[in-house]
Amino acid sequence: MIFATEKTELNGVYKVHLENFSDDRGQIVNLFDTGQFPTFKVDKLSKSKRNVLRGLHGDATNDKLTITNSQIYNVSSFGILGRATSIRAENLVINNAGQSSFAGTYGGKYNFTHCTIANYWNSSFRQFPALLLNDFIVDENNTVFTNDLVEANFNNCIIYGNDNPEFLLENEGEVFNYKFTNCLLRFDNNNLDGQGNYDFENLTFYENNLFNQDPDFEDPFSNKMRIGADSAADGIGLSIFASQVPNDILNVSRTVDPDAGAYQSVVFDED
């Protein structure tokens, strides 16, 4: 089922405009690739509570979901859950999910630019980090099936939260391609740091990132995800990615001194 106020088709791409959800009931947006709708574009998903995009299935050849200028908050499971699919996101903010804010599972292709993937969930125990990537599923007989993670690129993003670490990369197959570039990341685990998928000195996978420094969110527990002038994300964005998304989620220009994440920094009003 797709809850939408608008659905238009152009060159095989369906644009779904989702907004003005009520705050008093759970809203679940299921986007299943059934062949009827080859591609979805979600623009300006409202910041109303309890919205979730889930069940994104399909091959990783073409983008099955493009989501821009959107906010997803207060979900008891996953903010976005993709499986063996392809997702492109720009100026996306996700926060407060009972599991992961974004999970790209069973491989696929994911490209996130100027996104804030945060998780400050405090309503119950949280098992998963803000960001989860893997390339496998396990059936009821404990048989492991793998699928290529063709690519997973996070450019000029913030991946943070109130747990540690806030991203988990698990692979069982041979093709597991990912890269974090000019991001602010939370990962402070001596048992994993430098091991396996967490070799932060390997430029194939990690380049120009900052770790474990304060993002200076306005009030993440209330889903106020703007960053202040003291944010570690201030000015760390790479211009080549900022030029692809020249305005932030509030339509503020980021072409000069781009910050990581969906918002350009501001000076907060003093109480």
Side-chain angles (χ1 to χ4, degrees):
M1 181 178 295
I2 303 171
F3 296 92
T5 58
E6 173 191 355
K7 183 179 71 179
T8 57
E9 187 270 341
L10 178 64
N11 296 328
V13 175
Y14 285 77
K15 177 180 179 180
V16 184
H17 189 136
L18 299 145
E19 65 177 358
N20 299 325
F21 285 80
S22 66
D23 285 346
D24 57 354
R25 62 192 178 103
Q27 298 285 8
I28 298 176
V29 183
N30 293 298
L31 302 180
F32 289 98
D33 176 26
T34 63
Q36 182 181 5
F37 304 118
T39 306
F40 295 92
K41 180 176 181 179
V42 179
D43 182 52
K44 296 182 181 178
L45 180 68
S46 88
K47 61 181 180 181
S48 299
K49 297 177 181 179
R50 300 180 183 88
N51 297 328
V52 59
L53 298 175
R54 72 179 187 187
L56 296 158
H57 296 254
D59 64 75
T61 305
N62 300 308
D63 292 333
K64 294 298 179 183
L65 171 68
T66 299
I67 181 168
T68 60
N69 301 305
S70 298
Q71 301 169 69
I72 301 174
Y73 301 140
N74 302 342
V75 295
S76 60
S77 56
F78 296 93
I80 297 179
L81 171 60
R83 176 174 291 181
T85 191
S86 180
I87 299 173
R88 179 175 298 276
E90 298 172 350
N91 281 343
L92 170 65
V93 183
I94 314 175
N95 187 38
N96 284 335
Q99 297 189 51
S100 289
S101 293
F102 173 71
T105 66
Y106 197 39
K109 184 176 74 170
Y110 309 101
N111 286 284
F112 284 60
T113 303
H114 279 291
C115 294
T116 299
I117 303 172
N119 205 344
Y120 286 82
W121 177 265
N122 61 357
S123 297
S124 62
F125 172 76
R126 173 161 62 95
Q127 180 180 359
F128 297 111
L131 171 67
L132 170 66
L133 295 175
N134 69 37
D135 67 349
F136 63 90
I137 55 175
V138 182
D139 70 7
E140 64 276 8
N141 298 315
N142 287 322
T143 302
V144 176
F145 298 90
T146 64
N147 184 57
D148 293 351
L149 182 65
V150 178
E151 62 183 16
N153 297 307
F154 298 87
N155 305 314
N156 292 4
C157 291
I158 298 175
I159 300 169
Y160 225 87
N162 60 346
D163 205 350
N164 180 49
E166 283 293 4
F167 62 96
L168 181 63
L169 313 173
E170 297 182 312
N171 68 297
E172 295 287 342
E174 296 298 322
V175 179
F176 196 70
N177 298 315
Y178 59 90
K179 188 167 186 181
F180 298 85
T181 305
N182 289 72
C183 294
L184 175 60
L185 307 170
R186 183 165 192 185
F187 193 103
D188 188 8
N189 187 309
N190 291 332
N191 293 325
L192 293 175
D193 194 343
Q195 306 297 316
N197 294 325
Y198 309 106
D199 181 1
F200 301 135
E201 302 301 319
N202 189 331
L203 295 180
T204 301
F205 304 109
Y206 300 93
E207 188 169 3
N208 295 328
N209 300 295
L210 289 180
F211 289 85
N212 310 316
Q213 298 188 33
D214 187 5
D216 192 24
F217 292 125
E218 185 173 8
D219 185 358
F221 294 100
S222 299
N223 296 319
K224 297 179 180 180
M225 304 306 294
R226 293 189 305 170
I227 58 173
D230 293 329
S231 173
D234 184 77
I236 72 167
L238 191 63
S239 295
I240 189 171
F241 298 123
S243 68
Q244 298 169 14
V245 191
N247 294 327
D248 79 354
I249 194 170
L250 297 177
N251 206 34
V252 175
S253 175
R254 59 161 60 101
T255 54
V256 178
D257 294 327
D259 303 336
Y263 294 94
Q264 284 291 99
S265 64
V266 297
V267 177
F268 296 137
D269 294 333
E270 294 183 4
D271 294 333

